[in-house]
Every structure is written in structure tokens, then in C-alpha cells.
Amino acid sequence: MRPLFHLLATLWLCSVSQAYAQDAPTQLYIHHRMVHPNLPVTYWSNFGSISIPHPSSISPPGTPVTFTPSETLLDDLSKFAESVDPALEESLYQVAVGRPELSEGIWPMSVMKGCLMSTSTSSSITIHLSPSGEVLGLDYFLSSIPPNGSCPPSSDTANSYPVHNTTVFVKIPSSPPSPRLRAPPPLTPEGVPVSPVPEKTFLQKYWVYIVIALAALLISGPPEEPAASGNGPKAAN
């Protein structure tokens, strides 16, 4: 009896731990760097971390999550400014979600012009997840960007990359409504579509009523003539 009790208790603990592991949040790490086509490639630095809730609690429009910046964020931004001048028009700021199972070259990533970084004080990151919680893509936005997306004049560009007030959202794709399919046409035993029955004409539909109306008119006969009145002029004797 006791071994059976221990077996049931073990199975219950396994099921509870598995359910807890499924509902437990997932930790994701966001990385960033500055690159320029004419300069050596810089290494990724830790931008911060977020805690992703279970996909069942994420709404399609987007759920905000807590973002914890990296402790070395200020030092990394200073190194970026030393390696890539913010005034360079071809500089690019890259933000990516690190996935250990993938190589860095194919991380989900978003790119922004580096010259626009100094003109904004806040940013937002939207991480797109699959229904199972897998990272599909990443969008990075700045609070203020010129309508034409051009870089500001070099004189208006700061010599450093500021720390932005970053807000992070996670989204899952919403399923479109299922199409309403029409029923397939009936087939004959030979597999040929059954031809629809031709629609009847007006006479074919209502000939019985027309015949009844005509018969009623014939039976009733012509209308009676009015009787002659006796008040007319009398003939002379």
C-alpha cells in the first residue's frame, strides 16, 4: 500500500511542477549595438531583460511587460559613441532578441538610423511571439522621427547616444476569421456536376390559375343589358 501511495504522490508532484513550468514566465534578453558599413563590426551588448508571461495571458493588441535595463547600459552607449560617430548618416542602431539556439546573424532584429538616436528621449520595443511563445520578430520605434526620416544637420547631432525611456510590449498574432465555404455541387455517379433544374416560366407556374379565371369568365356569360325605362315618349294615335 505504501509504495502505491509514494507512486501517486510522485506523479502528482510531477504534474504540478510541469504545470508550474508551463505557466512560469520566460526570461528574454535584448541586445543592441551600433554599426557602420565602413567601420569594424561591433559586438552585441546587453541592452536589458524582460519577463515574458505565458502566451495565454498575452492579448493580440499588445501586453506591456517590465523592462530591466542592463547595468552596463551607460558604458555601452559611451563605447558606441567612441566607435561610431552619431553624426554619420550611414550609422545604424540595431536591437535584437538573443536566442541561444540561433546564431547571432539570424536573431530577430530591428534597425534604426543611428543619427536619429540623439533626437529622441523615449523609445518602444514590440516583440512578436507565436502562440507557443517563440519569438518571431522585433520592432523598435523612437518617439520622434522626422516625417521624411532624414538625419538632422551635423550641428544638431549630439556627440553621444542618450539613454531612452524604453517601453516593451509583447504581441501574439490574431487569427483571421475563417472563410465561409460554399457547399460543393452535387455530383452524378459518373462524377459530373448535376445540372440545375431550369426555372419555370410565368405560364408554366400559373397556367392553372389562368385557366380557372378564363373558365369563370366564360361561364358567367356577357353582362346583362339594362332594362328599358317606361318614362319615354309615347307613340301618337
Side-chain angles (χ1 to χ4, degrees), residues 33 97 162 217 231:
R33 66 180 180 181
V97 176
L217 292 176
N231 297 330

Side-chain angles (χ1 to χ4, degrees), residues 108-214:
M109 181 177 57
S110 183
V111 181
M112 179 66 63
K113 286 184 177 181
C115 59
L116 299 175
M117 298 296 295
S118 61
T119 62
S120 179
T121 58
S122 62
S123 61
S124 64
I125 298 175
T126 302
I127 300 176
H128 302 272
L129 303 176
S130 67
S132 61
E134 181 182 358
V135 180
L136 301 177
L138 173 72
D139 295 328
Y140 181 79
F141 299 97
L142 292 175
S143 59
S144 59
I145 297 179
N148 57 0
S150 61
C151 294
S154 302
S155 57
D156 298 338
T157 303
N159 295 327
S160 61
Y161 297 107
V163 178
H164 293 156
N165 182 17
T166 304
T167 306
V168 181
F169 300 88
V170 290
K171 295 178 61 176
I172 58 175
S174 57
S175 301
S178 301
R180 300 181 61 183
L181 303 179
R182 301 166 64 180
L187 302 177
T188 63
E190 292 77 15
V192 180
V194 177
S195 301
V197 179
E199 187 178 358
K200 294 182 179 181
T201 63
F202 179 81
L203 291 176
Q204 290 174 333
K205 290 181 180 179
Y206 306 105
W207 67 271
V208 175
Y209 304 100
I210 296 174
V211 171
I212 294 175
L214 291 176

Side-chain angles (χ1 to χ4, degrees), residues 1-8:
M1 186 67 181
R2 181 171 297 179
L4 178 61
F5 175 77
H6 285 296
L7 177 61
L8 294 176

Side-chain angles (χ1 to χ4, degrees), residues 92-115:
L92 297 176
Y93 180 67
Q94 298 177 342
V95 182
V97 176
R99 294 182 56 180
E101 73 277 11
L102 300 177
S103 62
E104 296 182 1
I106 55 177
W107 280 355
M109 181 177 57
S110 183
V111 181
M112 179 66 63
K113 286 184 177 181
C115 59

